[in-house]
């Protein structure tokens, strides 16, 4: 069911709290990893062929 | 395939984005919003260019604006089309052929064109020019010209927004809801993760710049396609997510292209905004012109010729070289083949038979695999750093090595 129109303007994120927390955690993890690599982070296990 | 010259990892890019959200979201009047959007876009250009270069860009945009106004008012439409078309084409060649441009004394323009992603700006100029000349849309005012041609979040790697779509968006979009904000944040995070983590890891582990010898070339071709998808679609995700928060309509650019079952479907899923631009501004006009010229008796051949013209130009848009032309013609050949095959299948099997054929899982798997390989290998034509003779020598004469 598309809940967007019902949710518009209510501030409701349209899901159970634990699912929203998981989505936010995944966003945060992706951002942290992207920031780390963008700052020159390298693969610690990779030594080159 | 165009390199992103705008570094989305720079702090200034994110500072402009945060400013754009803070400035644009609370605004409720159309005039204030479009001028605030101009301020954001010009401020972003100011972070990329020197004051002199920025002035040159603004003067050029003003010239485009005046030309569009003249065309919109019906004054010398042919002359405007010719002048603006020639000017845009000239700048495009300066952007794509920097050495030749420098020899001709036009080298100073190149860094500006690179900084603003002129390959994309040129296509937006074509789209708005055509919309105005054909009378589909009135000429844009100055803020609309700036905001359509130079939206900061679409400069790095598109998408190429259609002018009709730009005009159709609400002058003051509703502020994003909590759910919109979460989904936009997910999109931005996904884009950054694809570009800076997944694409980077693939590149570090597997890509040698096609300098490895032997059969590793085939492995690298597969990985290169995936890397290109992750890098490019990552930037598109970023633009779509940002556009959603700012309230600027930003078209989708990718839809699982690696699952395309033929090359026609591939171009409906890969760099969608470019293929739609090609469709409305090259393929359809060329096909219609040929149909009129031929009296409409050879529709299949007209479509084939339109594919060849469109994708030869598509190749040259990516890079003015024989290799890019070859890449474009290779895709044209693929499109023509699929189109003819579809036609003969329909003639032989009937509509119902084709439907059953298309639904057969084995055919789907094989055709998806062949399409994937076609795209991978066609990319090698463009990015392989050696000549054909060297390719034969390196591939078959010296055995196998990663050869970094």
């Amino acid at each position: 069911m598309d809940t967007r129109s019902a949710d518009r303007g209510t501030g409701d994120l349209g899901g159970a709290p634990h699912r929203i927390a998981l989505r936010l955690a995944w966003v945060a993890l992706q951002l942290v990893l992207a920031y780390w690599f963008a700052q020159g982070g390298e693969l610690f296990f990779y030594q080159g062929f | 395939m165009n390199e992103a010259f705008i570094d989305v990892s720079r702090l200034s890019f994110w500072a402009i984005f945060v400013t754009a959200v803070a400035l644009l979201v609370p605004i409720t009047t159309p005039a204030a919003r479009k001028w605030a959007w101009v301020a954001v876009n010009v401020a972003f250009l100011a972070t990329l260019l020197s004051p002199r270069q920025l002035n040159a860009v603004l003067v050029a945009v003003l010239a485009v604006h005046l030309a569009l106004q003249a065309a919109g008012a019906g004054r010398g439409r042919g002359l405007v089309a010719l002048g603006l078309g020639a000017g845009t084409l000239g700048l495009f060649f300066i952007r794509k052929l920097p050495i030749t441009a420098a020899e001709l004394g036009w080298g100073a323009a190149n860094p500006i064109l690179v900084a603003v992603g002129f390959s994309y700006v040129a296509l937006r100029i074509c789209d708005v020019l055509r919309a105005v000349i054909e009378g589909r849309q009135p000429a844009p005012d100055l803020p609309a010209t700036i905001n359509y041609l130079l939206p900061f979040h679409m400069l790095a790697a598109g998408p190429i927004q259609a002018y009709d779509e730009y005009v159709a968006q609400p002058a003051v979009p509703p502020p994003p809801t909590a759910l919109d904000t979460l989904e936009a944040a997910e999109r931005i995070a996904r884009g950054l993760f694809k570009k800076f983590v997944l694409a980077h890891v693939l590149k570090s582990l597997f890509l040698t710049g096609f300098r490895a010898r032997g059969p590793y070339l085939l492995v690298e071709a597969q990985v290169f396609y995936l890397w290109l998808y992750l890098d490019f679609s990552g930037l598109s995700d970023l633009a779509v997510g940002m556009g959603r928060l700012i309230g600027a309509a930003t078209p989708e650019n990718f839809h699982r292209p690696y699952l395309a079952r033929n090359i026609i479907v591939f171009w409906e899923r890969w760099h969608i905004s470019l293929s739609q631009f090609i469709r409305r501004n090259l393929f359809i006009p060329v096909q219609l012109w040929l149909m009129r010229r031929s009296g409409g008796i050879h529709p299949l051949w007209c479509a084939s010729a339109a594919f060849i013209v469109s994708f030869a130009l598509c190749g040259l848009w990516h890079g003015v070289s024989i290799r890019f032309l070859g890449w474009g013609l290779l895709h044209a050949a693929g499109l023509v083949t699929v189109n003819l095959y579809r036609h003969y299948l329909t003639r032989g099997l009937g509509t119902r038979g084709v439907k059953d054929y298309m639904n057969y899982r084995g055919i789907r798997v094989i055709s998806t695999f062949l399409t994937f390989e076609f795209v991978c290998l066609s990319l090698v034509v463009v990015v392989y750093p050696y000549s054909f003779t060297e390719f034969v020598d390196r591939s078959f004469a010296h055995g196998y090595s990663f050869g970094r």
Side-chain angles (χ1 to χ4, degrees):
Chain A
M1 187 177 73
D2 181 10
T3 56
R4 180 173 301 185
S5 55
D7 292 337
R8 186 166 284 283
T10 64
D12 187 352
L13 287 170
H18 73 280
R19 287 187 66 88
I20 295 163
L22 272 176
R23 286 168 74 175
L24 287 170
W26 177 228
V27 166
L29 180 62
Q30 287 181 102
L31 290 176
V32 168
L33 285 170
Y35 179 76
W36 187 65
F37 275 98
Q39 294 304 310
E42 278 302 330
L43 301 173
F44 61 88
F45 57 84
Y46 172 67
Q47 302 296 320
F49 288 111
Chain B
M1 227 170 302
N2 285 29
E3 309 90 330
F5 291 94
I6 293 168
D7 184 359
V8 297
S9 66
R10 274 178 60 185
L11 187 62
S12 56
F13 180 77
W14 293 96
I16 293 289
F17 168 59
V18 172
T19 308
V21 175
L23 200 63
L24 296 175
V25 171
I27 292 177
T28 53
T29 55
R33 182 180 160 83
K34 70 181 173 187
W35 281 108
W37 186 217
V38 167
V40 167
N41 290 325
V42 172
F44 180 64
L45 291 178
T47 68
L48 301 174
L49 304 167
S50 69
R52 212 173 148 184
Q53 290 174 324
L54 180 61
N55 287 341
V57 170
L58 295 178
V59 168
V61 173
L62 185 64
V64 172
H65 167 68
L66 293 175
L68 291 171
Q69 287 293 323
R75 290 194 297 270
R77 280 186 173 170
L79 204 63
V80 168
L82 201 67
L84 199 50
T88 305
L89 199 64
L91 290 175
F92 178 80
F93 278 108
I94 290 173
R95 160 70 185 83
K96 293 289 182 180
L97 298 170
I99 296 168
T100 313
E103 283 169 2
L104 294 170
W106 284 89
N110 199 270
I112 306 174
L113 299 172
V114 170
V116 301
F118 189 75
S119 307
Y120 293 98
V121 177
L123 298 188
R124 291 193 196 105
I125 292 174
C126 293
D127 216 67
V128 62
L129 178 64
R130 189 164 171 227
V132 171
I133 282 188
E134 289 181 352
R136 272 186 288 118
Q137 302 290 350
D141 58 14
L142 185 59
T145 310
I146 295 171
N147 294 336
Y148 174 65
L149 294 182
L150 299 164
F152 86 94
H153 67 302
M154 290 193 244
L155 291 184
I160 304 150
Q161 190 177 31
Y163 185 63
D164 291 338
E165 190 184 312
Y166 172 82
V167 172
Q169 65 185 319
V172 180
T177 62
L179 184 59
D180 287 336
T181 308
L182 175 61
E183 287 175 353
E186 285 179 322
R187 199 69 194 268
I188 291 169
R190 192 194 311 160
L192 292 171
F193 187 71
K194 276 181 181 175
K195 177 166 174 61
F196 289 109
V197 182
L198 298 179
H200 177 77
V201 169
L202 275 187
K203 190 175 180 184
S204 302
L205 288 178
F206 297 106
L207 298 185
T208 70
F210 288 92
R211 286 179 171 80
R213 294 172 184 274
Y216 187 72
L217 178 74
L218 285 176
V219 177
E220 188 162 357
Q222 322 290 315
V223 180
F224 181 80
Y225 173 30
L226 290 178
W227 170 81
L228 186 63
Y229 166 73
L230 290 168
D231 189 85
F232 193 1
S233 72
L235 284 172
S236 297
D237 285 337
L238 196 60
V240 171
M242 285 180 158
R244 203 156 165 185
L245 278 183
I246 300 165
T250 308
E252 291 290 343
N253 229 7
F254 291 89
H255 177 60
R256 298 178 179 177
Y258 40 83
L259 293 181
R261 62 177 298 154
N262 62 52
I263 200 69
I264 292 180
V265 176
F266 170 80
W267 278 105
E268 289 165 1
R269 289 163 169 249
W270 173 272
H271 206 171
I272 299 167
S273 64
L274 174 66
S275 50
Q276 287 180 349
F277 176 92
I278 291 170
R279 185 182 158 82
R280 64 178 179 270
N281 291 308
L282 281 170
F283 179 80
I284 292 175
V286 171
Q287 189 187 24
L288 286 178
W289 182 79
L290 289 170
M291 288 283 278
R292 279 194 210 105
R293 294 274 297 182
S294 66
I297 51 172
H298 301 299
L300 213 53
W301 296 115
C302 292
S304 301
F307 275 130
I308 292 167
V309 172
S310 304
F311 275 81
L313 291 173
C314 172
L316 291 173
W317 176 79
H318 282 88
V320 182
S321 72
I322 294 292
R323 285 195 186 213
F324 275 108
L325 179 64
W327 172 82
L329 289 174
L330 207 55
H331 276 257
L335 291 159
V336 168
T337 307
V338 170
N339 200 33
L340 292 175
Y341 185 57
R342 265 185 187 175
H343 173 77
Y344 289 110
L345 267 184
T346 311
R347 234 172 51 168
L349 301 176
T351 314
R352 192 181 168 80
V354 171
K355 206 174 167 186
D356 291 343
Y357 173 85
M358 298 290 271
N359 286 335
Y360 183 59
R361 184 172 289 181
I363 296 288
R364 181 187 290 272
V365 170
I366 291 168
S367 58
T368 304
F369 172 76
L370 289 177
T371 305
F372 189 95
E373 292 306 314
F374 178 84
V375 175
C376 287
L377 298 178
S378 69
L379 285 170
V380 177
V381 172
V382 174
V383 293
Y384 190 68
Y386 304 105
S387 69
F388 181 71
T389 319
E390 287 167 320
F391 161 72
V392 173
D393 184 46
R394 295 175 68 84
S395 301
F396 305 110
H398 294 291
Y400 172 76
S401 133
F402 277 104
R404 263 176 184 272

